[in-house]
Amino acid sequence: MKSIRYFLSFLLLIFVQEIGFSQNIRSFLEPADTLQIPRRNLVIGSELVLGTSTLIGLGTVWYDDYPKSDFHFINDNAEWLQMDKVGHVFSSYHIGRFGAELLQWSGANKKSQLVYGATLGFAFLTVVEVFDGYSAEWGASWGDVIANASGTALYVSQELLWKEQRIIPKFSFHYSPYAAARPAVLGSTRSEQILKDYNGQTYWLSVNMHSFAKASKIPKWLNVAAGYGAEGMITGKDQLVNTVFFPEKTRIRQFYLSFDIDLSKIETKSNTLKTLFSIFNTIKIPAPTFEINERGKANWYLFYF
């Protein structure tokens, strides 16, 4: 739940950065053909200021409420049925993608985009991991670090292999009944539950079919998405003692297959729309979905989110 919260905070900063520095939005959002030093400096300076401000805010608002400790690692790989690790992959990928796209906007070459932009997610979340390492409440996690690196690698490898993003991590959420059992951890309000309740989160790998069959008549924007979710969790490792409402047997993994839309493949000449499409391409579009859980039970949904 930490990773998605940090990602949404960083996403807001990126959005403000992209639209807040010019009266002429249309020309401002148009990517440069060659390196524009003022734009590059604006990107670097803004990321440093906004990223540092975010980290200082987290340290003040979040970590100061919990006791400190010596730096230490923990093994939390078995917790939350690995939903938190998938969240780290998602967050690292998209923060890095935004970093690379901002450098592309400045006219920086592909090498700079990958070296200094695509690694932004890994760098940002690694600093957060250090904060965790000094917190008695948590601890630095090698599993989180590996997940962060995996998200960055997913972006970079596709750029090196295909020069485009054919497989995009996405996120969707539905409200679950489990948050009411432990609102302090899973969220006491609707907005908190989106960030904290793993039972309602689903993470997807959205695959653009046209990119793998360019000679076909498949619409360029049509994707097939494979999703992963889990439910029955009110603690990380084990259920609370509550055999009436939440027995241990309800902890279960869920797998999904659905359609999706790659917003970046929708053709438009509007740089404003392209920017908005890039930002909202993090979210899985509601669509007909097939679910099967680890016990073999299947469900169909007309629209799943």
Side-chain angles (χ1 to χ4, degrees):
M1 62 189 71
K2 301 193 305 295
S3 62
I4 192 66
R5 180 168 57 249
Y6 300 149
F7 168 72
L8 290 175
S9 299
F10 206 92
L11 181 60
L12 176 61
L13 296 175
I14 292 295
F15 180 74
V16 171
Q17 176 177 315
E18 287 200 341
I19 69 173
F21 294 102
S22 177
Q23 297 297 324
N24 190 340
I25 298 298
R26 182 177 300 176
S27 61
F28 177 77
L29 293 177
E30 184 175 359
D33 295 330
T34 57
L35 178 62
Q36 302 293 314
I37 301 299
R39 283 193 176 194
R40 185 199 62 185
N41 292 343
L42 176 62
V43 169
I44 295 173
S46 299
E47 288 177 351
L48 286 174
V49 171
L50 295 174
T52 301
S53 299
T54 301
L55 292 170
I56 292 174
L58 287 172
T60 302
V61 176
W62 182 258
Y63 290 99
D64 281 355
D65 291 337
Y66 298 93
K68 302 294 189 299
S69 70
D70 292 335
F71 184 83
H72 64 287
F73 281 95
I74 60 171
N75 183 356
D76 62 350
N77 294 331
E79 295 187 7
W80 301 111
L81 295 181
Q82 294 77 51
M83 286 293 292
D84 58 326
K85 301 298 180 281
V86 183
H88 275 268
V89 173
F90 168 87
S91 299
S92 180
Y93 172 94
H94 281 293
I95 294 175
R97 177 174 70 84
F98 290 130
E101 289 180 356
L102 285 170
L103 284 178
Q104 180 188 27
W105 168 80
S106 76
N109 60 36
K110 178 62 71 172
K111 180 179 179 181
S112 296
Q113 293 172 32
L114 296 181
V115 173
Y116 303 109
T119 57
L120 183 62
F122 178 78
F124 178 77
L125 292 174
T126 296
V127 175
V128 173
E129 207 62 42
V130 173
F131 283 4
D132 282 352
Y134 284 104
S135 172
E137 184 77 9
W138 299 284
S141 165
W142 278 114
D144 289 353
V145 174
I146 292 171
N148 296 339
S150 298
T152 299
L154 179 60
Y155 180 87
V156 172
S157 61
Q158 292 187 81
E159 288 297 318
L160 294 176
L161 183 61
W162 298 315
K163 296 181 173 57
E164 64 177 350
Q165 295 298 299
R166 299 183 179 183
I167 305 171
I168 302 173
K170 292 196 175 187
F171 172 83
S172 67
F173 180 83
H174 60 272
Y175 294 105
S176 82
Y178 298 95
R182 204 180 178 200
V185 173
L186 301 180
S188 58
T189 65
R190 292 283 187 171
S191 57
E192 283 185 352
Q193 289 166 24
I194 294 174
L195 304 179
K196 294 183 175 183
D197 186 6
Y198 287 128
N199 300 281
Q201 296 178 2
T202 306
Y203 290 97
W204 305 81
L205 286 179
S206 186
V207 182
N208 185 257
M209 296 187 293
H210 183 271
S211 296
F212 288 99
K214 294 184 180 293
S216 70
K217 295 183 179 180
I218 299 173
K220 293 181 179 180
W221 47 263
L222 183 61
N223 282 23
V224 171
Y228 173 66
E231 67 175 24
M233 304 175 294
I234 51 179
T235 63
K237 292 182 179 179
D238 302 303
Q239 290 287 58
L240 296 176
V241 179
N242 191 337
T243 58
V244 177
F245 298 107
F246 300 103
E248 176 63 24
K249 65 181 180 181
T250 62
R251 293 173 67 93
I252 193 167
R253 304 173 192 272
Q254 301 154 317
F255 306 93
Y256 302 89
L257 187 64
S258 182
F259 292 105
D260 189 31
I261 295 175
D262 185 344
L263 297 178
S264 69
K265 296 295 193 296
I266 297 177
E267 296 183 3
T268 176
K269 295 182 179 179
S270 170
N271 291 313
T272 301
L273 283 178
K274 288 179 181 179
T275 300
L276 292 174
F277 286 163
S278 176
I279 292 172
F280 288 104
N281 212 32
T282 57
I283 300 173
K284 165 71 170 61
I285 302 298
T289 301
F290 172 73
E291 173 202 345
I292 186 168
N293 64 35
E294 61 182 330
R295 295 175 186 168
K297 182 180 178 181
N299 288 299
W300 285 95
Y301 302 92
L302 181 59
F303 291 104
Y304 178 87
F305 193 66

